[in-house]
Amino acid sequence: MIETTLPISAELKELGIKQSNAGCSTGQKFFASCDEIQSSSPVDGLHIGSVQGATREDYDRVMTTAMAAFKEWRLVPAPKRGEIVRQFGDALREHKDALGKLVSYEMGKSLQEGLGEVQEMIDICDFAVGLSRQLYGLTMHSERPGHRMYEQYHPLGVVGIISAFNFPVAVWSWNAALAWVCGDVCVWKPSEKAPLCSIACQNIWNKVAEANKLPEGISCIINGDYKVGEYLSHDKNVPLVSATGSTRMGRIVGAAVAQRLGKSLLELGGNNAIIITPNADLKLTIIGAVFGAVGTAGQRCTSTRRLIIHESIYDTVVEKLKAAYAQLKIGSPLDASKHVGPLIDKDAVATYEKAITQVKEQGGNMIVEGGALSGAGYESGCYVRPCIAEVNNNMEIVQAETFAPILYVMKYSTLDQAIEMQNGVDQGLSSAIMTHNLKEAEQFLGHAGSDCGIANVNIGTSGAEIGGAFGGEKDTGGGRESGSDSWKIYMRRQTNTINYSDDLPLAQGIQFDL
C-alpha cells in the first residue's frame, strides 16, 4: 500500500500506483523479475515507491508481443487508430490533475508545469486524431503512356522510445500518439529517475485498450537501466529508435542504430541563447529570459543558458535581471507561490556546484551568487539558488550544457557578432531575438541567421507548440518530433507504378521483344 503520509497518496491510488510496481508491460499485463528501481521525490526526499526492472528475458518477451501486435494494428484503418488515440486523450483529460501532480512530485517541476505537461499529451492526441485522416501520399505523372505513379506511406513496425527525466510523460506521448496513428506499436524505456510516471501512463492506456479489445503490445513499457536502451538500439526488430537525453547518450544510441542501418530520431542537448537588441521591449525580455532560465529549475533542453546583450543596454538589462532574481521564491513545486523547485537529485546539485566553480576558475564573474540550499523546506538536499554569471562565450564551461539554473550574460556590439556568438556552440536547439526592428528579426531568421531548429522573435527559448516540429541541429541530433510533417519518420515511403496499358515500354528506349 502507498504511504498515506505522501502529499500525492490519493493521486497514486487514482493512477493505480502501488508501493512496489512491476515495471515491464506488454499492455494489459505487467511483469518483472529484476532489481527494483527506487523512486524518491526531490521535493521532500520521501520515498514514493519502487518499480521492478526488466531482465533480457523480459525484454525479449515484450518484443515478441509487440511484433505480434503490429501485424494486427497495421491493418486497422488509420481513422480507426485515430479513434483509439482520441479515447486515450479523453482518458488523460479525466486523470490530468492526478497525473500532473505525480509528474510534479516525482520529477520536481512546478505543479502548473506538471499539469501543462499532461496538457501537451492531450494536445498531441488531438493533433494525431486529425492526422489519422491526413497521411497523404503524392500522385505524379508518368513519362510512359498508360502508366500511373504515386507515393504512399506504410507503418514501420516497432518504435523504440527512450525518454528523459525532465519531461517524463510528454515526450513519450509526442512519439507514441503519432506512431500509433501511423500504424506502429511502441516500446518505451522511461527514465530511471521518474519511473512511476510511466506506470501511470501505462495504466491509463490499459483501460482504453481493454475497452476496445485491442491486442497486447501496442503500448509497452520496459523500466530498467541503460542496458534496456542498449537492447533497443541494437535490436534489428526496432526499425526506429527515438531517444531524448544528453548528447553523450545520443552519440551512443545513434552509432548503434546506424551500425545496423536503422533509423534514429535524436533530441539531445541545448545551449540556448537570447539576443537582446537596443530595440527590445525590456519588460517582455526580462520575463522571457527569467522564465527560460529558471523554469523547471533550468532542466529543460530549451532552457535559456545565455543572454547576448547589446553593449548599449547591457548594464540596464543586468540590473533588471538582478532585481527579478531577488524576487524569486524557491521551494516545493506543489506550492503555487514558489517560482523554482528542486533539481532532480543530489548528483544534479553536485554538477551545478562544479559548474559554478569552473565559471570562477575560468574568469567568470558571479553577478547573482548561487549555491545549494539547506534547512527547513529544503530537506531533500536538491534545492539550489538560480544564479547569473558574466562570462566570455568561448569559455569551456559556457560551451557546455549544464542542466541547472545558471544563466550566462555577455556583450555584443553588432548583430552579425551576436548571431556568430549565438551559433558559436556545438548545440543547435532553440534560439531567440528580442527586437521590434523588422530588419534585425529577419536577419536573425534568414539564411545567415540562427542555426538552430527553433528560432523565435520576441518570445523566449523555452517551450514549443504542438503544431510545429520540435528539434534541433548539430549536437542536438537533427530529430523532429510532434507537429508539422514529423509523422513521416514513423513510416516508410514507397513509390508505386501501375501499368494499365497493353505495352511494357523499357527505360531509355531499350527493345526486348519476345
Side-chain angles (χ1 to χ4, degrees):
M1 297 293 291
I2 288 292
E3 295 290 341
T4 56
T5 55
L6 291 173
I8 61 165
S9 57
E11 288 78 10
L12 293 172
K13 183 177 180 181
E14 176 182 333
L15 296 168
I17 305 294
K18 304 175 183 178
Q19 191 70 45
S20 181
N21 304 271
C24 192
S25 171
T26 57
Q28 290 91 318
K29 295 180 181 178
F30 281 94
F31 51 89
S33 55
C34 199
D35 294 337
E36 287 189 331
I37 301 170
Q38 303 299 326
S39 177
S40 297
S41 174
V43 175
D44 51 23
L46 296 179
H47 180 259
I48 309 173
S50 63
V51 176
Q52 288 182 297
T55 63
R56 177 67 207 216
E57 291 72 23
D58 293 332
Y59 173 86
D60 291 339
R61 188 169 6 170
V62 168
M63 286 303 303
T64 298
T65 305
M67 288 188 289
F70 171 63
K71 293 180 179 179
E72 294 186 47
W73 184 240
R74 65 183 176 183
L75 298 179
V76 176
K80 297 294 185 183
R81 297 193 296 256
E83 166 59 19
I84 300 299
V85 174
R86 184 195 66 77
Q87 293 181 34
F88 182 62
D90 285 347
L92 290 171
R93 286 179 171 89
E94 180 183 349
H95 297 289
K96 177 180 176 179
D97 289 347
L99 183 55
K101 196 168 183 179
L102 172 60
V103 168
S104 175
Y105 188 65
E106 187 175 31
M107 183 267 150
K109 63 176 57 178
S110 73
L111 179 57
Q112 288 306 308
E113 289 183 87
L115 294 170
E117 185 168 343
V118 180
Q119 186 60 50
E120 286 189 27
M121 301 176 75
I122 295 168
D123 291 344
I124 196 62
C125 286
D126 289 349
F127 181 93
V129 172
L131 177 65
S132 68
R133 294 182 181 271
Q134 300 178 76
L135 301 176
Y136 299 135
L138 180 68
T139 299
M140 296 157 283
H141 293 287
S142 173
E143 65 183 28
R144 293 166 287 189
H147 286 62
R148 181 167 69 89
M149 294 181 65
Y150 67 94
E151 292 179 344
Q152 62 177 332
Y153 288 84
H154 297 291
L156 278 177
V158 178
V159 173
I161 303 169
I162 301 172
S163 64
F165 74 85
N166 58 332
F167 281 86
V169 295
V171 171
W172 163 73
S173 71
W174 292 356
N175 287 275
L178 298 192
W180 286 334
V181 297
C182 289
D184 301 318
V185 299
C186 298
V187 175
W188 178 20
K189 187 252 180 256
S191 169
E192 300 106 294
K193 297 183 179 183
L196 296 176
C197 286
S198 69
I199 302 298
C201 290
Q202 189 69 17
N203 286 340
I204 294 171
W205 165 263
N206 288 349
K207 293 179 181 179
V208 175
E210 290 170 359
N212 289 275
K213 298 181 171 57
L214 298 177
E216 288 189 50
I218 295 173
S219 177
C220 307
I221 58 171
I222 306 180
N223 272 287
D225 59 16
Y226 70 93
K227 293 179 182 178
V228 176
E230 289 184 346
Y231 299 157
L232 287 169
S233 300
H234 289 89
D235 192 342
K236 65 180 181 181
N237 294 311
V238 183
L240 171 65
V241 176
S242 176
T244 301
S246 68
T247 297
R248 182 192 64 81
M249 178 277 293
R251 293 188 192 280
I252 296 171
V253 171
V257 175
Q259 184 66 31
R260 58 179 176 84
L261 300 181
K263 297 168 63 176
S264 58
L265 193 169
L266 301 176
E267 295 291 353
L268 311 175
N271 195 345
N272 316 296
I274 299 177
I275 296 173
I276 305 174
T277 81
N279 299 296
D281 179 327
L282 292 189
K283 180 179 180 181
L284 180 151
T285 296
I286 296 301
I287 293 173
V290 174
F291 174 74
V294 308
T296 324
Q299 297 173 112
R300 292 186 177 208
C301 53
T302 57
S303 290
T304 304
R305 308 288 176 200
R306 299 174 294 144
L307 294 185
I308 304 170
I309 309 167
H310 191 268
E311 58 192 8
S312 67
I313 57 170
Y314 180 83
D315 291 340
T316 300
V317 171
V318 168
E319 288 304 312
K320 288 182 179 294
L321 284 170
K322 289 166 64 175
Y325 269 56
Q327 300 175 48
L328 294 176
K329 297 179 181 179
I330 307 167
S332 170
L334 300 180
D335 181 348
S337 69
K338 299 297 190 288
H339 303 109
V340 185
L343 294 178
I344 185 65
D345 55 28
K346 293 179 181 178
D347 287 342
V349 174
T351 299
Y352 157 87
E353 292 178 318
K354 181 179 178 181
I356 293 176
T357 299
Q358 290 177 310
V359 167
K360 296 176 180 178
E361 291 175 347
Q362 293 172 24
N365 173 42
M366 299 304 298
I367 293 175
V368 174
E369 288 287 349
L373 297 171
S374 59
Y378 307 125
E379 290 85 355
S380 69
C382 298
Y383 292 87
V384 301
R385 292 188 184 90
C387 59
I388 304 175
E390 184 178 47
V391 298
N392 183 300
N393 194 55
N394 294 323
M395 287 167 51
E396 183 178 354
I397 186 60
V398 178
Q399 290 286 309
E401 178 192 37
T402 301
F403 234 47
I406 304 175
L407 179 63
Y408 301 123
V409 296
M410 59 201 78
K411 297 177 183 179
Y412 80 91
S413 56
T414 69
L415 186 55
D416 285 339
Q417 179 189 24
I419 292 173
E420 184 178 354
M421 293 167 68
Q422 140 67 38
N423 295 342
V425 293
D426 291 334
Q427 308 85 356
L429 179 53
S430 187
S431 59
I433 188 170
M434 295 295 186
T435 181
H436 284 167
N437 183 293
L438 179 62
K439 290 183 178 180
E440 290 178 334
E442 289 297 333
Q443 182 179 345
F444 177 74
L445 299 175
H447 293 321
S450 170
D451 64 1
C452 294
I454 299 170
N456 299 326
V457 177
N458 291 328
I459 64 171
T461 65
S462 188
E465 290 189 29
I466 289 300
F470 178 89
E473 301 299 324
K474 302 188 296 186
D475 277 5
T476 303
R480 293 295 186 276
E481 293 172 324
S482 190
S484 186
D485 65 348
S486 58
W487 60 271
K488 291 181 179 178
I489 197 171
Y490 302 97
M491 306 194 81
R492 58 181 176 87
R493 185 164 65 176
Q494 183 182 76
T495 300
N496 307 114
T497 304
I498 301 171
N499 179 7
Y500 59 91
S501 73
D502 296 325
D503 298 315
L504 184 59
L506 302 178
Q508 287 79 46
I510 295 174
Q511 298 295 318
F512 190 71
D513 297 325
L514 295 177

